[in-house]
Amino acid sequence: MKDYYGILGVDRDANADEIKKAFRRLARETHPDANPGDADAEERFRQVAEAYEVLSDPQKKSRFDRGESFGGQDLFSQFGGLEDILQQFFGGGFGGGFGNAARGPERGRDVAVRLDLDLAQAAFGTEKDVTFMSRIECPTCDSSGSEPGHSPITCSKCDGHGRVQVARQTLLGTMMTVAECSDCSGTGQLIDHPCAECHGEGRIRGERELTVEVPEGVDTGTRLRLNQKGGAGQRGVSAGDVYVEIRVRPDERFQRVGDDLHHRVAIGFAEATFGTDVEVPLLEGGTEHLEVPAGTQPETVYRIGKRGIPRLQRRGRGDLLVHVEVRVPTDLDEVAEDALRSYADIRGERPAEKKRGLFRR
Ligand SMILES: [Zn+2]
Ligand SMILES: [Zn+2]
């Protein structure tokens, strides 16, 4: 169970005045507006507010003293959340509530782009141009938002800071809080002559063209992030990011499994029997010589090391696995058929009698 007395740093027999005093001191110390962006302070403040909420209420205090515990949710639900408690104690109109700094100009949007590659491009990396519609920098005002020849003026209300200190009268006395400047919406600047093309936005709709550097080893589903290459931000602030979604087109010769490539090669019945040489194509171009020994059985797999896909962001390469298929002839002419039937006789095989020339078209 939480020790609300400990959180407020008061004795168990502290009176209402002492509890209020302790809370006032701790609340000022840990208040989110006094510690912008500090999550620890925010959590401490919640604890302090919760402790005060219980100990300042005679009924809850006596329930707590009898050993009942209160869930934070139960406590705050009757106020509609912590924001409402803050309103009670400190008055309304915080600078956007917890953790919200002044907004300033709006950052650009993130954009997703799909990029189709063939297998070799995905394996060995490439450069590709992509185009997409997006917000782009306004060329007329060079993103400033001001008509050429004019500049934004510094907001006089906030002196260009975008935030203003506001004194609030609260239950705890006067408290200084920080709020977004209402005149400039937190940007710190005012545009008195807005650019006619972008209406002061500093950005327009248009087509963006980017060159994407694709690293080696990408695969379908790989997502590349290009920082700040996406939609333009308002008045020149940072652009959004571009997420490039890779899709690799199927390849006729190679099937990719992880970083390995699989290739099928078909040899004849006689070749499997006596052995043969095959030229295996390589993804990077050229071929690799593969010796198929005599007596090779169908579906034998040979592994050619380090001729697969280079590993993404790691060293090394996968392997090339060559599956050897043994072709059964379906197109024997008369001479070949005679030869094969003689072979069957010698081996004691009993092939079905077929009409001569069955295979011939
Ligand atoms: Zn413009
Ligand atoms: Zn301002």
Side-chain angles (χ1 to χ4, degrees):
M1 195 169 86
K2 284 174 184 162
D3 173 13
Y4 291 134
Y5 292 101
I7 290 170
L8 290 185
V10 295
D11 293 333
R12 289 188 77 85
D13 54 6
N15 63 31
D17 227 36
E18 290 166 327
I19 288 169
K20 192 168 178 176
K21 244 186 203 160
F23 170 63
R24 188 186 299 224
R25 185 178 51 78
L26 286 170
R28 281 174 179 282
E29 259 175 49
T30 60
H31 191 276
D33 276 347
N35 304 275
D38 182 345
D40 282 352
E42 185 176 324
E43 181 51 33
R44 279 207 317 279
F45 183 78
R46 279 175 195 276
Q47 300 278 339
V48 166
E50 186 181 323
Y52 180 71
E53 177 50 33
V54 172
L55 298 184
S56 65
D57 178 323
Q59 275 196 339
K60 285 183 191 156
K61 182 173 184 293
S62 66
R63 279 165 61 197
F64 176 73
D65 290 341
R66 285 199 303 271
E68 265 184 62
S69 62
F70 299 85
Q73 286 306 102
D74 304 338
L75 275 176
F76 295 132
S77 60
Q78 59 186 304
F79 292 95
L82 190 57
E83 296 288 325
D84 280 1
I85 285 203
L86 294 176
Q87 296 247 334
Q88 275 217 340
F89 292 139
F90 298 99
F94 281 94
F98 277 122
N100 288 357
R103 278 201 320 269
E106 189 187 286
R107 181 182 181 269
R109 290 229 177 125
D110 293 343
V111 179
V113 191
R114 205 174 67 200
L115 182 57
D116 289 309
L117 300 175
D118 62 38
L119 185 59
Q121 291 170 329
F124 304 115
T126 184
E127 271 187 11
K128 279 274 191 183
D129 291 338
V130 293
T131 53
F132 52 90
M133 292 302 291
S134 180
R135 300 281 194 90
I136 60 172
E137 292 72 18
C138 174
T140 304
C141 64
D142 202 17
S143 305
S144 72
S146 286
E147 194 69 11
H150 294 275
S151 319
I153 56 170
T154 302
C155 174
S156 55
K157 186 174 174 187
C158 64
D159 258 346
H161 297 302
R163 308 184 79 180
V164 285
Q165 289 240 322
V166 187
R168 294 188 191 287
Q169 300 305 320
T170 72
L171 288 179
L172 305 170
T174 305
M175 185 111 191
M176 295 304 288
T177 59
V178 178
E180 182 180 292
C181 174
S182 56
D183 280 14
C184 62
S185 311
T187 62
Q189 295 191 319
L190 294 172
I191 291 183
D192 53 351
H193 293 84
C195 164
E197 186 170 4
C198 63
H199 310 291
E201 277 278 294
R203 56 187 180 176
I204 55 172
R205 271 199 77 74
E207 194 179 64
R208 247 227 220 297
E209 182 171 344
L210 286 180
T211 302
V212 182
E213 302 256 359
V214 181
E216 55 179 26
V218 299
D219 199 354
T220 294
T222 303
R223 216 157 72 134
L224 306 174
R225 178 175 166 177
L226 309 181
N227 284 325
Q228 299 189 14
K229 302 285 189 190
Q234 218 174 14
R235 293 193 285 283
V237 303
S238 60
D241 298 332
V242 175
Y243 291 94
V244 181
E245 308 263 1
I246 301 290
R247 212 173 55 169
V248 182
R249 285 185 284 259
D251 189 274
E252 284 185 354
R253 300 172 305 166
F254 301 104
Q255 205 196 344
R256 175 175 182 170
V257 180
D259 294 325
D260 289 335
L261 289 176
H262 293 254
H263 173 72
R264 307 189 77 84
V265 65
I267 59 174
F269 164 70
E271 290 171 325
T273 307
F274 299 116
T276 186
D277 290 332
V278 291
E279 294 297 320
V280 179
L282 298 175
L283 185 57
E284 57 263 57
T287 58
E288 175 108 2
H289 188 76
L290 178 71
E291 222 167 273
V292 179
T296 291
Q297 299 299 316
E299 293 308 321
T300 302
V301 181
Y302 295 96
R303 184 179 287 266
I304 301 176
K306 305 205 185 307
R307 290 298 195 178
I309 306 278
R311 299 189 206 285
L312 180 63
Q313 288 162 353
R314 282 182 293 145
R315 294 164 68 87
R317 256 180 100 165
D319 298 333
L320 173 58
L321 288 97
V322 183
H323 299 249
V324 176
E325 290 173 24
V326 177
R327 247 187 338 247
V328 175
T330 56
D331 55 353
L332 295 182
D333 61 15
E334 225 169 287
V335 179
E337 184 176 344
D338 284 344
L340 198 53
R341 286 192 183 280
S342 308
Y343 164 84
D345 277 348
I346 297 162
R347 299 286 291 178
E349 293 182 16
R350 301 188 302 113
E353 286 298 330
K354 299 258 170 159
K355 272 169 135 182
R356 293 228 154 214
L358 180 78
F359 294 127
R360 269 176 303 184
R361 297 266 180 267

